[in-house]
Amino acid sequence: MDKFRIRGGRKLRGRVQIGGAKNSALPCIAAALLTGESVTLHNVPYVRDIITQGRLLEDLGAQVLRPELRTHKISAANIEIFEAPYDLVKTMRASVLVLGPLLARFGKAKVSLPGGCAIGTRPIDLHLEALKHLGAQVSLEAGYVVARAPHRGRLQGGEVNFDKVTVTGTENVLMAATLAEGKTVINNAAREPEIADLAELLNRMGARVRGAGSPTITIDGVEHLGAAEHTIIPDRIETGTFLCAAAITDGELELKDCRPEHSAIVIAKLREAGVEIEEVNQSTLHVRCCAEGLTARDVVTEPHPRFPTDMQAQYMALMTQAAGVSRITETIFENRFMHASEMQRMGADISISGNTATVRGVTRLMGARVQASDLRASACLVLAGLVAEGETVVERVYHIDRGYEKIEAKLRAVGAEIERVRESVTAQLPPAAEVGVS
Ligand code: UD1
């Protein structure tokens, strides 16, 4: 398993290119199952989860070509298999996103239940309840969800009221409803920018979706969807991570090709904490830290447009370097503080009570061997390593490879002393040829 070796203490300076949003590309790739015509996606990040999603589609019978590294051309003309198997779903929960499209187009789908993951139980009960409101028959068989559309293989439009905001749940139902007979209204829908991006792709394919990005989405079902070309939005979590990287190292970065409006709450919170962030234009941020030093500020994670749970770990790393006491409350996932104990091993003063972490700063972090437990926790440990005294070794960086494209190269290019220590060939990303570059 690869590791990162980091020597802390370097101020980052320079320009960072922000990539496409993994959490948008994942549903957009699944959406290609809704048509037999070709769907071309640009600005798809080259990260492990995306490769996994592409392989899942290939296993179902789709053709996934990469005419360029970050362009996917997907044709789902010949789908023969309607199942997302356990081995895949357990490695990547977002594979449940094939459920809605398969059910909508072919009237049948079988998807393994995801089970637990490092950050909590993460059920898909809300996805299933919602699909039942579109007329799906759903049963559980040997750890699998087996879903059918009994009315001539077609789902029926209906009203879906989510009890809790769910991002992939909203996406699954949104995709399913595009080919349903009649009108669907989704209430209490997730409002993440990735939902609006997916809706934009679906509308380009011929769907009739209104209100995506608001709590109520209306979909008028159509008979067929067709070919489309779409560019994935920039990754707001990668953007936030690099804002924190500049701030924690007392550095200065320019972030290119980002969407500041998608990171508004993170930018506002970092500014409150003393980070100087300027919106140079609609796709560029300039970040500098910090004339007066960082000041502790509390955050509570909540669905968009509030503070994202996917930035909680990185923000916690930053708060170890802020003067005062900050309380970080996690309301989305029940077990998402695993990075705290690793940072304690580096000298951070963090105590956990229920779903709140109390961070006392400023602490001098000391390099140590630490283990990444999930994707964003690994980003947090890298940030801590950038400011720690001496050498930090972050183990299990396959987690970070799931969602950050070449983070170590991007950090090195702006002055960080970080290297990947390769330990096994199998843990590495496959070369481009293996993922269907043509
Ligand atoms: C998505 C993101 C993930 C992010 C999360 C919250 C993708 C691929 N992943 O995950 O990066 O951290 O949103 O912003 O986009 N829940 C249920 N039943 C369900 C579905 C969800 O109880 O059927 C609960 C979850 O356990 C969690 C909360 O609802 O407590 C929100 O989860 P959800 O928004 O569904 O997260 P994901 O879509 O899995």
Side-chain angles (χ1 to χ4, degrees):
M1 279 184 271
D2 290 5
K3 306 169 181 175
F4 284 157
R5 187 179 289 142
I6 306 166
R7 289 200 76 80
R10 298 289 194 95
K11 293 183 187 222
L12 303 189
R13 278 191 204 290
R15 188 177 280 184
V16 177
Q17 175 96 22
I18 300 300
K22 166 185 85 78
N23 284 354
S24 182
L26 286 167
C28 287
I29 291 171
L33 289 169
L34 288 163
T35 175
E37 295 176 37
S38 114
V39 171
T40 303
L41 301 173
H42 302 289
N43 203 30
V44 177
Y46 183 54
V47 297
R48 183 173 293 280
D49 274 6
I50 296 298
I51 292 164
T52 308
Q53 192 80 325
R55 288 211 172 130
L56 169 58
L57 259 72
E58 286 177 329
D59 288 349
L60 302 177
Q63 187 188 48
V64 182
L65 297 176
R66 288 192 165 188
E68 289 168 33
L69 191 62
R70 294 181 192 83
T71 296
H72 278 48
K73 194 164 188 229
I74 306 169
S75 165
N78 299 308
I79 298 301
E80 290 141 8
I81 292 170
F82 306 93
E83 175 178 328
Y86 175 66
D87 282 343
L88 222 139
V89 179
K90 78 171 183 212
T91 63
M92 190 188 64
R93 211 187 115 79
S95 42
V96 302
L97 285 166
V98 301
L99 177 60
L102 286 177
L103 189 57
R105 179 157 159 232
F106 303 101
K108 56 184 172 181
K110 187 173 169 187
V111 170
S112 172
L113 284 169
C117 73
I119 60 175
T121 48
R122 299 185 83 177
I124 56 164
D125 55 321
L126 300 171
H127 302 223
L128 304 182
E129 275 311 307
L131 289 170
K132 284 185 199 165
H133 281 89
L134 301 194
Q137 278 180 355
V138 178
S139 57
L140 298 183
E141 296 173 18
Y144 278 77
V145 172
V146 179
R148 291 194 165 275
H151 303 281
R152 305 177 315 282
R154 204 155 170 214
L155 293 170
Q156 307 296 306
E159 186 164 343
V160 171
N161 298 300
F162 278 115
D163 288 342
K164 197 172 181 178
V165 175
T166 159
V167 176
T168 48
T170 301
E171 290 164 350
N172 242 334
V173 179
L174 168 57
M175 291 189 279
T178 57
L179 288 178
E181 216 164 57
K183 178 174 167 170
T184 297
V185 177
I186 306 176
N187 295 314
N188 199 22
R191 288 186 273 167
E192 270 66 3
E194 293 76 21
I195 306 275
D197 200 35
L198 171 64
E200 199 176 314
L201 167 66
L202 293 169
N203 284 340
R204 282 171 204 258
M205 292 166 71
R208 294 172 60 199
V209 180
R210 282 170 286 137
S214 81
T216 304
I217 305 178
T218 306
I219 306 114
D220 290 306
V222 296
E223 299 250 340
H224 298 285
L225 294 176
E229 196 160 342
H230 177 70
T231 299
I232 300 292
I233 54 170
D235 196 311
R236 65 197 163 95
I237 306 301
E238 188 188 26
T239 304
T241 303
F242 276 98
L243 289 175
C244 289
I248 204 168
T249 62
D250 194 11
E252 186 166 354
L253 291 177
E254 186 163 281
L255 309 187
K256 301 286 292 175
D257 294 331
C258 56
R259 278 270 189 94
E261 86 244 36
H262 292 168
S263 299
I265 186 84
V266 171
I267 291 172
K269 188 52 75 174
L270 293 181
R271 279 181 178 151
E272 268 182 43
V275 185
E276 291 167 36
I277 303 173
E278 186 197 341
E279 291 187 30
V280 178
N281 56 43
Q282 285 176 346
S283 62
T284 310
L285 284 169
H286 187 268
V287 49
R288 187 171 47 191
C289 198
C290 286
E292 308 287 325
L294 287 161
T295 314
R297 284 285 177 270
D298 297 347
V299 300
V300 179
T301 65
E302 284 172 278
H304 194 79
R306 308 301 303 161
F307 196 90
T309 174
D310 285 351
M311 277 302 300
Q312 177 258 108
Q314 303 89 314
Y315 186 78
M316 192 183 293
L318 188 65
M319 285 298 102
T320 67
Q321 302 307 301
V325 179
S326 54
R327 268 169 299 276
I328 300 176
T329 305
E330 172 61 58
T331 74
I332 308 287
F333 294 113
E334 73 264 31
N335 187 26
R336 206 173 194 182
F337 283 146
M338 311 261 274
H339 43 280
S341 48
E342 293 301 290
M343 282 199 294
Q344 281 163 350
R345 297 184 52 251
M346 300 173 74
D349 184 348
I350 305 171
S351 51
I352 309 277
S353 171
N355 68 348
T356 299
T358 303
V359 185
R360 288 179 184 78
V362 177
T363 43
R364 223 171 77 193
L365 297 182
M366 307 297 289
R369 266 177 71 178
V370 289
Q371 273 197 5
S373 53
D374 71 60
L375 170 56
R376 306 306 170 185
S378 19
C380 149
L381 296 176
V382 168
L383 293 177
L386 291 177
V387 74
E389 220 172 276
E391 183 176 285
T392 297
V393 175
V394 182
E395 299 185 347
R396 303 194 176 181
V397 298
Y398 59 83
H399 288 295
I400 214 163
D401 292 334
R402 292 185 52 189
Y404 288 89
E405 185 175 331
K406 292 198 176 146
I407 191 169
E408 78 278 23
K410 288 188 181 183
L411 286 169
R412 220 175 20 245
V414 291
E417 212 177 319
I418 175 170
E419 62 170 342
R420 179 181 291 258
V421 182
R422 294 200 183 271
E423 291 222 327
S424 104
V425 176
T426 49
Q428 293 166 21
L429 280 176
E434 256 186 67
V435 291
V437 171
S438 64

